[in-house]
Amino acid sequence: MPVPRAQARVFAQTSSVENEMGKSAPRIPLAVWLTHPVVPCWTLDARQIRRLKAELPQARVVVCRDEADFQRALPQMQVAMVWRFRPEWLPQAPRLEWIATPSAGRDYFQAARPGLELTYGSFHGRIMGETAAAMVLAVNRGLLANREAQAKGNLWPRDVLGGVMRTLAGTHAVIVGFGNIGRWVGHYLKPFGVRITGVRRHPRAAPRPGYFEPGDRVAGMARLDALLPTADHLILVLPGTPETDGLMDAARLARLPPHAAVYNLGRGNVIDEAALARALARGRLRAAALDVFREEPLPAGSPLRTAPNTLLLPHASAISPEYLDLYLDEFIPLFREKFPAD
């Protein structure tokens, strides 16, 4: 994956060359390859690299600038911190015990062998919850409708907003995928007076959130069809698995009331996008705010591109300057637990 020039200079200062194994090298070889060609906060910067080295003196941190660097480092590594790992790289990594990634999505990794541990970031909820709340506010407080009206030439669209703006108090959010991220979504919506129903496979597997009030609840997936007609906000925060594929098909979308809006911050496989676009075009749904899609980037010819009352984000709901700092807050204690310093 190419690295922008400014980022390449940072990694040149802390490259794997300066981290070659020597007599004074720490014990646990840790390859770090976290670069992103577009989003700066998804590339580990020099300050964060210094923090990693300072707080993990028992590690020999090898910073990799690109895939070639990473593959050269693999034969000696016990731990890899990466965005992606190809199964064909496993034979090059006989000592590898642990692959750690900031990503929350399990669908990005297929690498597996006995004794190899994979861990994922669990910090995303506090960032993505803000994005979900912003989407709900944009739909219900008229920001989306105002933008569309002005784009069509109505430069003072009070007539439009007078028919669409709603307060959130007393509305009902059905959050499908009520894990860590889903609970944060509810946390951010609750101060606006939104009633929360979280939907998950095992409703008794997690404690009731402390922000719940009478009327809030957690339900099993078997209750989804019954809940859809009661939803003002259907918020999807589901992983991309065979079980979630096409979950919101045309029949389920039709169960939503016309005043409902659909929000997706999980994975794009969950929604029948053509059926959603048709429902929006026919006025059968109020709006949609989507961050993820079955094919990414979303094709230019997708019917969602021209569907009315639709907000499209480029899989960006977790972007934040604190992103990798929050991940290091998780990773460093976990590393210390697995590999205590002498």
Side-chain angles (χ1 to χ4, degrees), residues 31-340:
V32 178
W33 179 31
L34 292 180
T35 64
H36 195 276
V38 175
V39 182
C41 72
W42 291 343
T43 291
L44 206 68
D45 63 26
R47 175 187 58 81
Q48 292 161 336
I49 292 166
R50 289 194 299 270
R51 176 188 173 190
L52 197 61
K53 292 179 178 180
E55 296 190 31
L56 293 178
Q58 68 270 48
R60 178 170 65 87
V61 179
V62 178
V63 180
C64 304
R65 295 170 293 180
D66 51 33
E67 183 176 319
D69 257 4
F70 183 67
Q71 290 197 60
R72 281 193 294 270
L74 267 180
Q76 299 179 55
M77 294 301 110
Q78 285 180 253
V79 184
M81 182 194 294
V82 291
W83 284 119
R84 59 189 177 91
F85 193 101
R86 299 174 190 241
E88 56 266 30
W89 294 343
L90 283 175
Q92 305 174 47
R95 299 180 61 192
L96 192 62
E97 302 173 13
W98 178 20
I99 300 174
T101 180
S103 172
R106 270 61 170 170
D107 48 326
Y108 290 156
F109 285 79
Q110 290 79 42
R113 72 179 177 205
L116 178 61
E117 183 177 6
L118 275 67
T119 60
Y120 303 84
S122 61
F123 60 91
H124 304 78
R126 67 188 71 184
I127 306 172
M128 294 175 64
E130 289 188 2
T131 304
M135 288 174 162
V136 173
L137 287 166
V139 169
N140 290 271
R141 297 306 304 148
L143 278 68
L144 175 59
N146 183 72
R147 185 200 68 181
E148 293 207 350
Q150 290 186 343
K152 294 175 182 177
N154 185 347
L155 302 184
W156 197 249
R158 280 184 167 180
D159 55 334
V160 174
L161 298 184
V164 300
M165 292 179 74
R166 303 283 188 275
T167 57
L168 295 183
T171 61
H172 182 206
V174 176
I175 304 173
V176 186
F178 204 61
N180 178 57
I181 296 172
R183 288 193 297 273
W184 273 99
V185 172
H187 168 78
Y188 283 116
L189 290 177
K190 198 64 202 169
F192 294 99
V194 178
R195 179 165 62 92
I196 305 296
T197 297
V199 180
R200 54 181 295 152
R201 283 185 301 169
H202 306 294
R204 298 181 182 177
R208 181 181 171 91
Y211 58 78
F212 265 25
E213 298 174 333
D216 300 325
R217 59 178 173 149
V218 180
M221 289 296 294
R223 293 284 301 155
L224 179 60
D225 285 347
L227 288 167
L228 291 175
T230 74
D232 299 294
H233 324 286
L234 177 67
I235 304 172
L236 304 167
V237 199
L238 288 163
T241 67
E243 291 76 22
T244 65
D245 196 42
L247 181 74
M248 291 306 302
D249 57 14
R252 282 206 168 103
L253 290 170
R255 295 185 68 82
L256 290 164
H259 65 266
V262 176
Y263 310 82
N264 191 10
L265 299 93
R267 286 291 183 265
N269 70 302
V270 174
I271 297 180
D272 181 333
E273 294 177 350
L276 177 60
R278 287 195 300 271
L280 291 163
R282 295 169 183 172
R284 275 287 302 120
L285 287 172
R286 180 182 186 187
L290 311 171
D291 183 53
V292 290
F293 307 92
R294 185 171 290 274
E295 181 182 347
E296 295 183 358
L298 181 67
S302 168
L304 290 172
R305 294 274 185 194
T306 55
N309 304 314
T310 303
L311 176 63
L312 306 176
L313 288 180
H315 202 147
S317 65
I319 289 179
S320 167
E322 299 82 15
Y323 187 97
L324 287 177
D325 290 305
L326 292 172
Y327 178 61
L328 293 184
D329 289 345
E330 290 186 356
F331 176 82
I332 288 170
L334 191 57
F335 191 98
R336 287 171 173 164
E337 180 182 338
K338 292 177 182 295
F339 305 106

